[in-house]
Amino acid sequence: MNAATATVASNTDYLLAVEDLTVSFDGFKAVDGLSFYVDENEIRVIIGPNGAGKTTVLDLICGRTKATQGSIKFKGAELTQMREHQIVHAGVGRKFQTPSIYEDLTVFENLEICFPRGRTVFGSLAFKRDGEVVSRVEEIAETIFLSNQLHERAAFLSHGQKQWLEIGMLLIQNPELLMLDEPVAGMSVSERKKTAELLHRIIQDRSVLVIEHDMKFVEDIAHKVTVLHQGRILSEGSMDKVQADPKVIEVYLGH
Ligand code: ADP
Ligand code: MG
């Protein structure tokens, strides 16, 4: 095997391979030569001080922001060349900080409208509530702890339950990479524990990339932690390793 094929092989071993990723906003590099790799079935957590570039990394992966330089390979496909909807279609789901559920619809209906449906030859959406949809909605509702709230309007859910519903709305599309920006912000201690349990359940079929500040939660979920600072990696590895890293203590954990 020559050097070129060896490089390609190592890139495609990862579900997600980010290499030399850079974005410049009017000359300011919010993300600066960033490289990291996420395995299949991995929960990766990105931590770091405010303004480190964490949310921008997710914006770049989901195609909301265009990279100035570098590569993002997902299952070998180059995401930097794709539009947002193509990236969703390729299997990348992303949850934003504020939930975007439909308050007037029930939990069931919120999940149902996110169920991926093929288009007919006439281009219209086939929209019947068939058995497959119902059983998939029920399965997701159980995963997100909302089986008993299926027919309640989303407006009546607690803040934590709304966050879970939005995760469910992504899960029903079966993404192979799920990205969550501060999913437990505003949650109670018991909701945080259940969210950790939820993430461990869903990675049988996928990987999860999470931005989070709550270090107890990070400890509960992370297989590996990437610490960002000024758009670059300050430290990376197990939770124990990064927590003991003097550079991380100085710029982040010590505050
Ligand atoms: P974090 O999520 O780690 O708190 P962000 O990724 O939101 O950080 O932001 C990183 C830096 O990039 C900040 O200084 C922010 O002001 C800047 N930034 C983010 N998005 C834009 C944008 N669209 N235009 C200009 N500056 C931006
Ligand atoms: Mg952010």
Side-chain angles (χ1 to χ4, degrees):
M1 204 193 289
N2 64 34
T5 49
T7 308
V8 170
S10 70
N11 268 350
T12 52
D13 283 347
Y14 298 101
L15 183 72
L16 181 76
V18 172
E19 290 187 322
D20 193 30
L21 188 64
T22 300
V23 67
S24 177
F25 298 119
D26 298 321
F28 167 73
K29 288 181 176 174
V31 174
D32 187 5
L34 180 69
S35 298
F36 69 96
Y37 304 86
V38 179
D39 280 321
E40 286 180 11
N41 313 108
E42 179 183 344
I43 302 179
R44 172 69 56 92
V45 184
I46 302 178
I47 64 171
N50 284 330
K54 304 180 298 296
T55 298
T56 304
V57 171
L58 298 199
D59 289 343
L60 287 161
I61 296 169
C62 78
R64 179 176 251 226
T65 297
K66 286 290 158 213
T68 309
Q69 181 186 306
S71 156
I72 304 168
K73 284 215 169 62
F74 174 69
K75 299 197 294 173
E78 183 58 55
L79 299 188
T80 54
Q81 303 305 317
M82 289 163 65
R83 311 274 300 267
E84 266 188 280
H85 70 273
Q86 295 174 308
I87 294 171
V88 170
H89 196 75
V92 178
R94 192 253 178 103
K95 182 187 170 311
F96 291 89
Q97 273 166 293
T98 35
S100 52
I101 57 169
Y102 300 93
E103 301 257 337
D104 291 339
L105 300 183
T106 66
V107 168
F108 187 103
E109 289 162 343
N110 269 282
L111 292 170
E112 184 187 32
I113 52 169
C114 295
F115 184 86
R117 289 160 197 274
R119 285 178 183 273
T120 69
V121 282
F122 304 106
S124 61
L125 285 170
F127 209 82
K128 60 177 200 288
R129 190 177 282 191
D130 54 36
E132 188 198 348
V133 183
V134 173
S135 64
R136 185 78 179 127
V137 166
E138 286 171 351
E139 183 192 329
I140 297 289
E142 188 166 347
T143 306
I144 60 173
F145 315 107
L146 293 177
S147 291
N148 296 329
Q149 287 78 22
L150 257 186
H151 301 290
E152 263 175 40
R153 272 180 42 205
F156 299 124
L157 299 176
S158 72
H159 168 78
Q161 289 173 323
K162 287 179 184 175
Q163 301 284 328
W164 294 335
L165 176 55
E166 201 181 8
I167 293 173
M169 290 163 73
L170 292 165
L171 284 178
I172 203 159
Q173 300 170 57
N174 210 16
E176 282 178 73
L177 177 66
L178 182 66
M179 304 196 293
L180 308 170
D181 199 344
E182 303 189 19
V184 299
M187 281 190 185
S188 67
V189 172
S190 78
E191 285 173 336
R192 285 169 196 233
K193 277 196 188 131
K194 285 172 88 172
T195 305
E197 187 188 322
L198 162 55
L199 296 187
H200 284 297
R201 276 188 205 172
I202 65 171
I203 51 146
Q204 314 309 325
D205 306 311
R206 62 184 54 82
S207 303
V208 179
L209 183 56
V210 187
I211 295 173
E212 197 40 75
H213 286 292
D214 176 343
M215 295 312 287
K216 172 73 180 78
F217 180 71
V218 177
E219 205 176 318
D220 284 348
I221 62 166
H223 296 144
K224 220 169 159 187
V225 178
T226 297
V227 188
L228 270 194
H229 179 50
Q230 296 176 345
R232 299 188 202 151
I233 293 188
L234 186 68
S235 186
E236 188 173 79
S238 67
M239 181 68 171
D240 287 347
K241 183 190 157 192
V242 302
Q243 265 184 322
D245 187 331
K247 296 192 299 290
V248 178
I249 295 166
E250 190 191 330
V251 310
Y252 185 58
L253 296 177
H255 293 271

